[in-house]
Amino acid sequence: MNFHEYQAKQLFADYGIAVPAGRVARSPEEAVDAAKAIGGEAWMVKAQIHAGGRGKAGGVKYSKSFDEVREYAKGMLGTKMETYQSAGVALPVDSVLVTQATDIAQELYLSVMVDRSTQSITFIASADGGVEIEKTAVDNPDAIKTLIVNYVQGLQPYQTRDMGFALGLNAKQVGQLSKIMLGLYKLFNEKDLALVELNPLAILTDGNLAVLDGKINSDDNANFRHPELVEMRDIKQEDETEVLASKYDLNYVTMDGNIGCMVNGAGLAMSTMDVIKLEGGAPANFLDVGGGANKEKVTEAFKLILRSPDVKAIFVNIFGGIVRCDMIAEGIIAAVKEVGVKVPVIVRLEGTNVDAGKELLKNSGLAITSADDINDGAKKAVAAAAAA
């Protein structure tokens, strides 16, 4: 689950990490009121969407008067914004964050994530932060510093100091960075987060560190432990079909192809999409119906897939382990009848009672094509989509 910048900064503040004064606004007048309450002579008006790269897309504006605050807020609110990080999707701007404008001497980068290769929480930092951090990682990898945290010992203060000096900070700044890193580590663990990113973590002209922007992703599997985080969810920023899928406990990700995929098991789903690509096709989605696939889940899965007008064929690739293949076949037949599927459906079944399952599909009287294996199914799906 993703969070807006203003929500991330709220969480930072809760863990003792200093952030510039700011207020969220949902109308131009609220934005002006926020600037007046913050005080000062200049403010930043920042569009709130679940994507980075807002500055390049016109979503971050420096304002020197209340009239400019009003003008910039009016120009953002109620619009949709696409950035190089929004995967080609224009996201709605329903709120803006008005913050103190600060004088920046240098932009740093700091993030916390779980590194699967080391199975550890890892800090990544660079003295070259800002909008070009991705370019820095490619062109100057030595500028990227990594700290792997021992899962038994936890983050130690001396490690944060080592990181600060590696970034070229002075003693005062090292102390500030240490407080930020220890706070982030506590936040990351206590809230079951998947990613925290500070970009930029700035050195101001007065020599102090300041968190000017923040991004947080949480682990959806831990939502039951954090109702306070679930309340922050903004489904308007998410793919509508993916939101609907979550209501039925289906793992769905929208893609840009024309072959719908229905698979049980994430690994098998990834393999299915790979084979479709190898056969010259393009998957329209990732969809894992889980090991306990039944008629109800299969029916909802078909409905989700067919929400896309681009789908020209559907490849169902199911391994009958926990649930027998004949039961799965009965569910597929019932679901196709109920939904009224009008595109070709290719089904590959394997596992317990597979012969009985194939016989049911063969005698169903529906336009369902059986496949011998995953490769055969992918070939038939690609051919059906091309012929549609």
Side-chain angles (χ1 to χ4, degrees), residues 150-384:
N150 184 286
Y151 64 90
V152 175
Q153 297 175 341
L155 181 64
Q156 300 297 307
Y158 80 87
Q159 294 176 305
T160 67
R161 293 192 291 271
D162 287 346
M163 179 66 83
F165 287 120
L167 296 176
L169 304 182
N170 61 38
K172 178 183 177 182
Q173 293 163 350
V174 167
Q176 293 175 340
L177 178 68
S178 181
K179 183 177 181 180
I180 291 171
M181 291 180 67
L182 291 168
L184 289 181
Y185 184 71
K186 185 178 181 182
L187 168 65
F188 193 91
N189 281 287
E190 291 187 356
K191 297 297 185 181
D192 291 303
L193 303 183
L195 170 70
V196 179
E197 186 176 57
L198 310 183
N199 189 30
L201 169 62
I203 302 176
L204 305 181
T205 52
D206 64 8
N208 291 308
L209 295 186
V211 177
L212 300 189
D213 197 358
K215 177 181 180 180
I216 287 180
N217 295 346
S218 68
D219 185 347
D220 292 349
N221 294 311
N223 280 351
F224 70 97
R225 284 200 291 260
H226 302 289
E228 76 284 2
L229 297 184
V230 175
E231 288 181 3
M232 296 181 177
R233 184 181 183 186
D234 184 356
I235 61 173
K236 292 181 181 178
Q237 298 289 316
E238 302 176 30
D239 181 275
E240 185 178 349
T241 305
E242 293 176 17
V243 172
L244 186 61
S246 67
K247 295 181 180 179
Y248 299 102
D249 198 26
L250 296 169
N251 296 312
Y252 184 98
V253 179
T254 299
M255 302 178 74
D256 56 5
N258 62 0
I259 299 175
C261 301
M262 186 191 308
V263 191
N264 65 334
L268 184 58
M270 295 295 289
S271 299
T272 300
M273 293 190 295
D274 286 344
V275 176
I276 288 173
K277 290 291 289 185
L278 287 172
E279 295 295 337
N285 62 273
F286 168 99
L287 174 54
D288 173 14
V289 296
N294 52 36
K295 176 194 169 186
E296 289 72 24
K297 272 198 171 185
V298 172
T299 299
E300 294 303 329
F302 272 115
K303 289 178 181 178
L304 289 170
I305 292 172
L306 293 172
R307 284 173 63 88
S308 170
D310 297 328
V311 171
K312 305 301 181 186
I314 298 175
F315 182 19
V316 181
N317 189 13
I318 300 290
F319 179 82
I322 299 174
V323 182
R324 303 192 317 266
C325 287
D326 55 332
M327 294 179 64
I328 295 171
E330 289 174 354
I332 292 172
I333 293 167
V336 170
K337 288 180 179 178
E338 180 178 333
V339 177
V341 179
K342 293 181 172 59
V343 299
V345 178
I346 294 84
V347 178
R348 178 259 186 165
L349 294 178
E350 191 58 73
T352 307
N353 286 2
V354 62
D355 292 335
K358 288 183 176 180
E359 192 67 20
L360 284 169
L361 294 176
K362 180 181 177 181
N363 298 328
S364 67
L366 300 173
I368 299 175
T369 302
S370 289
D372 296 328
D373 52 41
I374 186 172
N375 294 296
D376 182 46
K379 286 179 181 178
K380 288 178 177 176
V382 171

